[in-house]
Amino acid sequence: MKYYVFLVLTVLFWSGNFVFGRLVSTSIEPTQLSFFRWFFVLVILLPYILIHYKNILSVFKKKYILIITFGALGISGFNTFLYYGLQTTTATNALLINSSIPIFIIVLSSLIFRTKITKLQLTGVIISTLGVMYLILKGEINHISQLEFTSGDLWIIAACVDWALYTVLLKHKPKELNSFEFFGLTTLIGTIILYCLFLYQGYSFNLDFLENEKVLYSLIYIVIFPSILAFYFWNISTVEVGVNKAGQFTHLMPIFGAILAYLFLGEVLKSYHLVGISLIGLGIYLSIFFKREKI
C-alpha cells in the first residue's frame, strides 16, 4: 500500500513543478530556472556521484553518446521547454497537454522501434490529438488562424515530445548503472549542457534572484520535491508495483494541477478544459488498455 502512496506523492510533486514554475515565470528566466534547479540537485547528489565515480566514469567512457543524449533530453530539454511554455500558458493548460505524453510515446515507439500499433491505439492517438488541439485552440476553431498567441502551448508540446523520446530510449539505459548512478550521471551531463546554454544567453552565475522570496521558496520546492524525492519514490515504487501500473498514476496530474493552480495561481477550469480532459482521457484509455488487431 505504501508504494501506491509514494506514487500519488510523486505525481503530486510533479504537478507542483508546473504550478510553481508558472508562479515564478515573471521573476526568473526559463533558462535560469532550469539551470539553477539542476545545479542545486547536482550539489546534493555530488557526494553519491563521487563515491561511485569509478563505475560511473567507466560506463560513461563506453556509452558517452547515449548518456549525453539522456542528459540532454531528460534533464536539459524537457524542463527548459516546460519553463518557456509556462511563461505564456496557464499551469492548467500545461498539465492537460502534458497528459498526452503516453500518446507521443506510442507514436515514437512505433516510428523508432517499429512497435506494432493496433487500430484502437491509432484511434486513441487521433482522439487525444484532437483533445490537445482543442486545448490549444481554447475551444474555438476559428483560433486556428491565430496560433501565434498560443506559443506557450507549443513549448509544452515540445516538452512532451522530448520526454516521450527520452522514455522510449530508456530501453537502452546502461544496465551497468543502478538507478541513482544513472540519475546522478544524467544530472551532471544535463547541468553542464544547461550551463553552456546559460552562458550563451549572456547570464552570469549569481544568486541575486534568490532575494525574491517567491523565487527562493519555489526553487527549494522544485529542487527537493519534483526532482529528488519524486525520483526516489518513483524509482522504488515502479519496481514493486510494475511500470504499467505506475504509469497510470501520471493521469492524476491534471487533477492535482488544477487544484494547486486554483490554490496558488487563482486559475479556474473552463468548459474547454473539461472537453480537452475528456478527449485526452478517452484517447489514452484506448491507446493503453486495448491491444487487439494490429495494422
Side-chain angles (χ1 to χ4, degrees):
M1 182 64 183
K2 71 176 182 179
Y3 295 108
Y4 291 104
V5 174
F6 286 164
L7 286 169
V8 171
L9 288 174
T10 296
V11 175
L12 175 61
F13 296 158
W14 282 343
S15 301
N17 181 43
F18 283 72
V19 173
F20 284 99
R22 173 63 175 169
L23 182 65
V24 300
S25 61
T26 59
S27 303
I28 182 172
E29 293 299 317
T31 302
Q32 286 180 297
L33 179 57
S34 189
F35 167 69
F36 282 109
R37 169 188 178 175
W38 289 108
F39 170 77
F40 287 120
V41 171
L42 180 60
V43 169
I44 295 171
L45 293 177
L46 197 57
Y48 184 88
I49 294 173
L50 293 175
I51 291 173
H52 299 271
Y53 82 93
K54 288 185 179 180
N55 185 49
I56 290 174
L57 184 60
S58 174
V59 175
F60 179 73
K61 287 180 178 178
K62 297 176 184 176
K63 301 181 179 181
Y64 62 92
I65 294 178
L66 183 62
I67 297 296
I68 291 173
T69 300
F70 281 130
L73 292 173
I75 303 300
S76 306
F78 175 76
N79 297 281
T80 304
F81 293 154
L82 170 63
Y83 294 142
Y84 269 106
L86 288 170
Q87 284 196 314
T88 52
T89 193
T90 65
T92 301
N93 252 33
L95 281 156
L96 291 171
I97 295 171
N98 185 75
S99 67
S100 66
I101 283 179
I103 302 302
F104 288 114
I105 290 174
I106 289 173
V107 172
L108 290 176
S109 181
S110 177
L111 291 174
I112 297 173
F113 297 116
R114 306 292 182 181
T115 304
K116 295 295 183 180
I117 183 171
T118 67
K119 289 183 178 179
L120 278 171
Q121 284 178 323
L122 180 60
T123 301
V125 169
I126 294 172
I127 292 174
S128 283
T129 300
L130 290 174
V132 172
M133 290 303 299
Y134 195 82
L135 285 172
I136 292 173
L137 297 174
K138 295 181 170 39
E140 298 291 339
I141 301 300
N142 61 320
H143 284 174
I144 199 165
S145 62
Q146 305 170 357
L147 281 178
E148 63 273 11
F149 84 100
T150 60
S151 59
D153 295 325
L154 298 179
W155 278 113
I156 301 300
I157 290 179
C160 291
V161 174
D162 178 290
W163 188 257
L165 181 58
Y166 171 81
T167 302
V168 168
L169 293 177
L170 274 178
K171 68 181 298 182
H172 294 298
K173 169 186 170 293
K175 295 180 174 58
E176 303 92 328
L177 296 173
N178 66 37
S179 295
F180 262 102
E181 288 173 338
F182 177 73
F183 181 53
L185 180 54
T186 53
T187 297
L188 174 61
I189 298 299
T191 303
I192 291 172
I193 294 172
L194 284 170
Y195 186 58
C196 294
L197 178 63
F198 182 84
L199 293 178
Y200 175 78
Q201 292 187 352
Y203 298 113
S204 59
F205 191 97
N206 67 72
L207 304 178
D208 292 346
F209 62 89
L210 294 180
E211 295 177 2
N212 183 325
E213 289 188 356
K214 182 171 66 175
V215 175
L216 173 62
Y217 293 133
S218 295
L219 190 59
I220 290 173
Y221 170 84
I222 290 171
V223 167
I224 295 174
F225 294 95
S227 303
I228 298 174
L229 285 181
F231 174 83
Y232 175 71
F233 288 159
W234 183 262
N235 181 52
I236 63 175
S237 299
T238 50
V239 173
E240 295 295 329
V241 308
V243 175
N244 290 336
K245 287 184 179 179
Q248 305 315 308
F249 280 79
T250 61
H251 304 317
L252 292 172
M253 287 183 69
I255 300 172
F256 287 146
I259 295 171
L260 292 173
Y262 171 77
L263 292 174
F264 291 98
L265 303 176
E267 294 181 8
V268 295
L269 279 174
K270 297 183 179 180
S271 59
Y272 70 82
H273 286 131
L274 300 179
V275 174
I277 288 173
S278 300
L279 290 173
I280 292 173
L282 176 60
I284 289 172
Y285 178 77
L286 292 175
S287 299
I288 292 175
F289 294 103
F290 287 88
K291 295 181 179 179
R292 294 181 181 173
E293 183 183 354
K294 294 181 179 179
I295 59 175

